[in-house]
Each structure stands twice: as structure tokens, then as C-alpha cells.
Amino acid sequence: MTVVGGSGGSGGSGASGGTGADGAQPPTGASRTRPSTRTGGAGGNPARPQAGRTTHGAERDVPTPTGPIAADRATGSPRVPTYKKWRAPEATRGNALHAGAWWLWALGLATAASRTTNPLLLGLIVGVAGYVVAARRTDAPWARSYGAFVKLGLFVIALRLVFSMLLGSPIPGVHTLFTLPEVPLPAWAQGIRLGGRVTAEQLVFAFYDGAKLATLLICVGAANALANPARLLKSLPAALYEVGVAVVVAMTFAPNMVADVVRLRTARRLRGRPTGGIKAILQIGLPVLEGALERSVAIAASMDARGYGRTARVPAAVRHTTNVLTLGGLLGICAGTYGLLAAEGAGYGLTLLLASLLLALAGLRLGGRRSIRTRYRPDRWGVRAWLVAGSGAAVAALLIRAASLDPEALRPGVVPLVAPTLPLWPAAAILIGLLPALVAPLPPSQEA
């Protein structure tokens, strides 16, 4: 016989924590919830709300964020501090800075360096360029070439001093440092001497001259380390595509060679072999040349696969017009630039320069019809690119103005010898070049 439980079983289930007749589970002592706030009752005081919790309806148990980032009651989104809103974003494919902006910034610093021989101002320009490179360069191979350009600049200064000591200098001097053995030369080599008296004035003049050239090289190295050459090639006009490819290949040769040298020296160091000396350099040189040859073959194959050098059919009249406009525009730009630099050509120099620039742009526009390539996702020139390029242009314009107002401060004399001084407002103008370190997007590896 089967016995079916009746109402007594259901009543016992209430005591044992079972389900009732309607299927609902009655509250027990273990599962009973307690409200977060208690109202005053018999024998109890009103309890204060817990810190960091809301007491409104269903959200009474949801903690609210505290600290510098507080919750916005209207939208529910966290509040971002003002300094983080204006902070430069992380660089992505969509917001990366235009490569041309880096080159314009670097050329602006180089133009400023060409207007002065003051070693203090030149050192300040190098410091500005180095700080921006350290703050915004990536881990790409071309970004590692800045140190090589700095070493090249130091080598240029040393070479300029050696040539001044060996070949003499037209700068007269009264402070003789030492005298080298002089080699007699034939009569047809008048004006040239080997050895002889070395003065402090000629060495200081050679140092100033070499420092200016070294600063120009370092500014170009900063542009090489910050601008992606491949993305710069995409921004060139279609008529200059083939020339641009050759320039990009030439610019990437030095960074890739530096990367190969670093890699091989690291491998030799891990194997316990010496990395310095003539023998080590000769052993490293052969693999570097082999890698450069393999890279050249790979670049040639990729260029051929992408149809490099193939052009569309353009009528002869359009080709001749393009050649005339481009060549005439470039010649006019040279003549206009000379007119601006010369004292007697200031009246027509600017007009000729602008007209020639328009002719050259028209020739490049017509020449672009020969190119059958397309551009995929071209880089955009945004507000940050304007700020970066504008900072370099501002440094160049202010240093050119300072050179005309106070030439003695920007070009300290060497006869007689005077200690260079740091002019305040030209130095402040150079500090404008630090703006890219604040507005340019951060490299992905440096995002906090």
C-alpha cells in the first residue's frame, strides 16, 4: 500500500525549511535579510547610514565611488579630472600624428640653429629636440637612430677642430696655444698651409661652426626618429611618389644599419666575445653588409610586386605642360629665395616666390595624372599636427627676428675672445619647441 503524506507533512515542512503548498519558500532565520537603515523603534536608536553607500530605494546597497573620481549623479559615468581630459591620448592608427608635422617641427628647429653660433642656444636646441624624442618616440627601428645622429654631430665637431689645426684658419689670433710642424708647399698652393701656429681664436671659431652643423644633423635625426617614413611617403603628391620612394629607402638605410649593429654587438656580448676594437668592427661589418644586401633585394621585389614605375597613358601636351610648369616653378622659387636673402632683391623676391610656388604646385597636380596608384586610409592633418608644426615654425621665425635685432648675442665674437651669454627671449622662444612633448599622442608603450 502506498501512503501519501497529507497536511501534516506540509506543516512539518515549514519547520524543516521545505516549500509550502504554493511553492514559495518561507523566510527562515538564516535567510532573512536585514535593511541597511533602521528606523527608531522600541528599545532602538536610528542608525546612521554607512559611509560610501546610498540610501535611496533599490540602490541602498550599491557603493558609490569616493576619491578624485566621483560618480556623476545625472549620467552615472565617472568624472574625469581636468588634467586627464587635456592629456594627450594614446597613439592609434586613427589619431597618430601626421609624419609631415614632425618634419616641419624639426626643420623649424634646424632653421633656428642656422641663424646662430651661440653654443648656449645651440645646446638648448639640442636639449629640446632630445627631450621631445625621448618623450614621443616609439620602439620602431628608425626611432633608434637619434643616438647615432648625436654621435655623428660630435664627430663633425671633432673633425672640424682637427681640420682647423692642420689646415689653418683665416681667423687672426693673438693667443697661441701650440705650434705644429709646418710642411712647405709649392707656389701654386698659396693660401693653404699644413701645420703652423694654432691659436685659441681659430679653435673657438671652428668649434662654433662645427656645433652649428652638428645641431642641424641632430634636428634631422630627431625627425628621423619621430616620423614614420612609410607614412610620410603616403602624404607626398602623386607626381613625387617615385622620388619619394627612393628618399624613404635612403632614409631607412641608416636606422636599419644601426639596428643591425646593435643586434650583432649584443649577440657577441652574450657569447663572451669583444665588441670593441678594429677586429670586432671588421667581424661585425660583413654581417651588416649582408643584411643590407638582403634588405635591398627584398625591397626591390616588393616594389616590383606593387607595380612600382608603371604609369598611365597621358597625352604629350599634358606631359610637356607639366614639365614646363614644374621646372619653371622650381627655378622661380630659387630666384625668389635669392631675392629675399639679397638686399637688392627684397622688392620682387616675395612676389616671385609666391608665383613660382603656385606654378610648381600646378605642375605637380598635372603630373599626378601619370600615377595609377591609390591611397588606403590616408593620414589626416588635425589640430595636434598644426600645433606641432606651428611650434617649430614659431621657433624659426622668432630666432630669425632675434638675429636681426641683436646679432651680437646670437653670433658671439671670437676676435677678441668674449664669453657667450644666454639671451633671455631667444632662449624662451626655443622652449616653444617643447610643445610636441605635451600635445603629440603618446606611444603605446608609454601609456600609463
Side-chain angles (χ1 to χ4, degrees):
M1 178 184 297
T2 305
V3 180
V4 180
S7 62
S10 63
S13 65
S16 61
T19 58
D22 55 355
Q25 183 177 359
T28 61
S31 62
R32 186 174 300 156
T33 59
R34 183 175 298 174
S36 61
T37 57
R38 294 179 296 176
T39 57
N45 294 328
R48 295 181 180 179
Q50 296 181 3
R53 294 179 177 269
T54 58
T55 58
H56 302 288
E59 297 181 356
R60 60 179 179 271
D61 293 332
V62 179
T64 58
T66 58
I69 302 178
D72 191 351
R73 294 182 179 180
T75 61
S77 59
R79 291 178 183 172
V80 181
T82 304
Y83 72 93
K84 287 190 176 182
K85 291 181 180 179
W86 293 99
R87 185 181 178 184
E90 180 183 355
T92 60
R93 182 60 184 83
N95 67 349
L97 195 69
H98 199 284
W102 286 122
W103 273 100
L104 291 178
W105 168 79
L107 291 178
L109 294 184
T111 303
S114 66
R115 310 302 295 183
T116 178
T117 56
N118 191 323
L120 301 179
L121 293 179
L122 294 176
L124 188 58
I125 293 175
V126 172
V128 167
Y131 180 81
V132 174
V133 169
R136 288 299 183 267
R137 69 174 174 181
T138 61
D139 296 331
W142 60 80
R144 306 171 189 172
S145 61
Y146 181 75
F149 278 93
V150 173
K151 295 177 182 178
L152 180 61
L154 296 177
F155 175 76
V156 166
I157 295 177
L159 190 64
R160 183 68 177 85
L161 291 174
V162 170
F163 281 171
S164 177
M165 289 186 293
L166 294 179
L167 302 179
S169 175
I171 302 298
V174 296
H175 299 84
T176 302
L177 298 179
F178 52 89
T179 302
L180 295 176
E182 187 171 356
V183 178
L185 297 176
W188 55 267
Q190 293 293 332
I192 302 175
R193 69 176 178 88
L194 295 177
R197 190 168 63 99
V198 178
T199 63
E201 287 82 359
Q202 77 178 63
L203 289 184
V204 171
F205 177 78
F207 174 76
Y208 288 171
D209 197 21
K212 181 171 69 172
L213 181 56
T215 306
L216 295 177
L217 291 174
I218 291 174
C219 291
V220 174
N224 243 337
L226 293 171
N228 189 337
R231 300 185 68 173
L232 180 62
L233 178 62
K234 294 174 60 177
S235 306
L236 290 177
L240 299 178
Y241 176 70
E242 297 178 1
V243 178
V245 170
V247 173
V248 168
V249 171
M251 287 193 317
T252 55
F253 175 77
N256 288 324
M257 186 178 66
V258 171
D260 289 344
V261 171
V262 172
R263 176 175 55 83
L264 292 172
R265 293 187 64 183
T266 303
R268 290 180 62 87
R269 191 180 300 111
L270 293 176
R271 293 185 178 95
R273 298 178 181 178
T275 58
I278 302 298
K279 184 177 180 181
I281 293 175
L282 294 177
Q283 293 178 354
I284 291 175
L286 183 60
V288 169
L289 293 178
E290 182 181 359
L293 180 60
E294 293 179 355
R295 194 180 306 112
S296 301
V297 173
I299 290 175
S302 63
M303 291 167 61
D304 183 68
R306 289 171 173 81
Y308 178 77
R310 302 173 186 174
T311 58
R313 294 183 178 180
V314 179
V318 176
R319 293 200 306 268
H320 296 330
T321 305
T322 301
N323 294 334
V324 171
L325 290 177
T326 305
L327 184 59
L330 294 178
L331 292 177
I333 289 175
C334 295
T337 305
Y338 176 79
L340 289 177
L341 297 177
E344 61 274 6
Y348 67 88
L350 182 60
T351 304
L352 182 60
L353 180 62
L354 294 177
S356 302
L357 184 61
L358 293 177
L359 290 178
L361 292 177
L364 293 177
R365 184 60 181 266
L366 287 177
R369 295 184 179 182
R370 299 177 65 248
S371 178
I372 56 177
R373 69 186 184 94
T374 58
R375 293 183 182 180
Y376 175 68
R377 298 174 66 179
D379 294 338
R380 297 180 180 179
W381 189 281
V383 177
R384 297 183 185 276
W386 281 112
L387 292 175
V388 171
S391 63
V395 173
L398 292 176
L399 262 292
I400 291 174
R401 181 63 177 171
S404 61
L405 295 179
D406 191 5
E408 295 182 357
L410 270 68
R411 297 181 178 274
V414 294
V415 180
L417 279 176
V418 292
T421 59
L422 182 65
L424 295 181
W425 77 267
I430 294 175
L431 294 180
I432 300 176
L434 292 173
L435 186 62
L438 302 177
V439 301
L442 289 168
S445 60
Q446 297 184 10
E447 178 69 14

